[in-house]
Structure formats: structure tokens, C-alpha cells
Amino acid sequence: MRGRFIPLLLAAVIFAVALGVTYGLWKNSRVEEVQKLQKEFDFRARETIERIGQRMATYEQVARGTKGFLLGDI
């Protein structure tokens, strides 16, 4: 009677180990994906800030040129 439970116990242990490995791999994959998304977000945010700064510099240059034109003698 005791010998009948050994294959069932072995199957349960193998299942538990496989489940644990699967969970560990899934968790690792999820962490890597979150890190990848965070890096992508940070890159896009820096890029957007830089573009806004460039546009503001252009607008400032146009405003100064317009001011100079309006204040200049014609």
C-alpha cells in the first residue's frame, strides 16, 4: 500500500518544482519588461524635454528678431 503513493508523491513533487520554476521565470521576465518600459519612458521624456527646449529657443530667437525689427529705424 505504501508503494502505491510513491509515484503520486513523485509526480506532485515534480509538478511543484515545475510550477516554481515557471513562476520564477515569469517573475523575472516581468521585472525585465518593466525595466525595459521604464528605460523607454525615460528616454522619451528626455527627448521630449530636449525638443521643447529647442522649440523655446527658436521662439525666443524669433521674438528677439521681431523686437529688433520693430525697434529699428526703417
Side-chain angles (χ1 to χ4, degrees):
M1 185 133 180
R2 184 175 176 174
R4 289 178 50 188
F5 293 113
I6 292 178
L8 184 61
L9 181 61
L10 183 60
V13 168
I14 291 172
F15 176 74
V17 169
L19 192 62
V21 169
T22 302
Y23 175 77
L25 291 173
W26 171 80
K27 187 73 170 172
N28 186 39
S29 175
R30 183 171 167 89
V31 167
E32 287 178 3
E33 187 64 27
V34 168
Q35 289 174 346
K36 179 181 171 186
L37 288 173
Q38 184 65 46
K39 287 179 184 178
E40 180 71 20
F41 175 80
D42 291 343
F43 172 76
R44 297 287 181 194
R46 283 191 307 272
E47 186 178 48
T48 301
I49 290 169
E50 185 177 324
R51 286 183 179 180
I52 290 171
Q54 290 172 350
R55 286 182 187 166
M56 292 304 293
T58 301
Y59 295 151
E60 184 179 350
Q61 186 177 11
V62 169
R64 286 183 182 172
T66 303
K67 179 182 175 184
F69 175 75
L70 294 175
L71 295 177
D73 292 329
I74 297 177

